[in-house]
Amino acid sequence: MSKLTPCLWFDDRIEDAVNLYVELFKGKILSLNRMQDGRVFTASFEIAGQQFQALNGGPLYKFTEAISWTIDCIDQAEVDFYWDALIADGGEESQCGWLKDKFGMSWQVIPRALGQCLGGSDRAGADRAMQAMLKMRKLDVAGLEAAYAGK
């Protein structure tokens, strides 16, 4: 177990959320603790080598963009895969590679090409890539690379 484990506060859809995240990131459920009525009260799960706890805490607190999870995507195919899966069934697109899943959790679906373009030695190209990114919802690798190259 990691020394630090994030605890995610859900409003009654904890089991659905944990199942989605474990399936999407090929993780595993470590434990589910149920209440007398059968609903999950707490869960422990692991995805991408990170352990999480989840709490069925009720409607008092909601997720905000103040906390988000960044997904490091190798290429456009990975961006498309995670983006489509996380906005499915009620998720919401935002700007610059950000989205909220159907549970309200914020995600950044970021291709490695973004860092390469923004951190490249051609500062004018990096500025063009930044301007292109600011106009995108889901990030487009080809569009970022074309902007960087000045095409």
Side-chain angles (χ1 to χ4, degrees), residues 80-149:
D80 294 345
F81 171 77
Y82 288 113
W83 188 271
D84 294 345
L86 288 166
I87 63 165
D89 302 322
E92 299 175 27
E93 293 184 357
S94 188
Q95 294 294 120
C96 305
W98 287 62
L99 63 84
K100 284 186 180 180
D101 67 25
K102 63 185 173 182
F103 307 105
M105 178 68 68
S106 291
W107 298 85
Q108 299 175 57
V109 184
I110 307 298
R112 291 184 183 168
L114 178 64
Q116 294 163 353
C117 290
L118 298 182
S121 60
D122 176 358
R123 296 316 310 149
D127 289 343
R128 289 190 303 270
M130 174 64 81
Q131 291 309 308
M133 186 224 25
L134 291 173
K135 295 175 185 159
M136 296 177 183
R137 288 185 175 273
K138 176 173 67 172
L139 298 185
D140 172 32
V141 171
L144 293 167
E145 290 172 340
Y148 181 80

Side-chain angles (χ1 to χ4, degrees), residues 3 7 11 13 24-25 37-38 41-42 46-47 59 63 68 70 72-74 77 80 82-83 89-91 114 116:
K3 190 148 190 91
C7 182
D11 178 15
R13 296 179 63 198
L24 188 60
F25 294 99
D37 64 7
F41 180 59
T42 62
E46 183 179 303
I47 57 175
F63 294 125
S68 63
T70 301
D72 173 35
C73 297
I74 295 169
D80 294 345
Y82 288 113
W83 188 271
D89 302 322
L114 178 64
Q116 294 163 353

Side-chain angles (χ1 to χ4, degrees), residues 12-32:
D12 200 40
R13 296 179 63 198
I14 183 175
E15 192 165 10
D16 292 338
V18 169
N19 285 333
L20 173 67
Y21 302 153
V22 165
E23 180 182 335
L24 188 60
F25 294 99
K26 298 178 180 20
K28 60 184 172 182
I29 295 173
L30 303 173
S31 68
L32 294 174

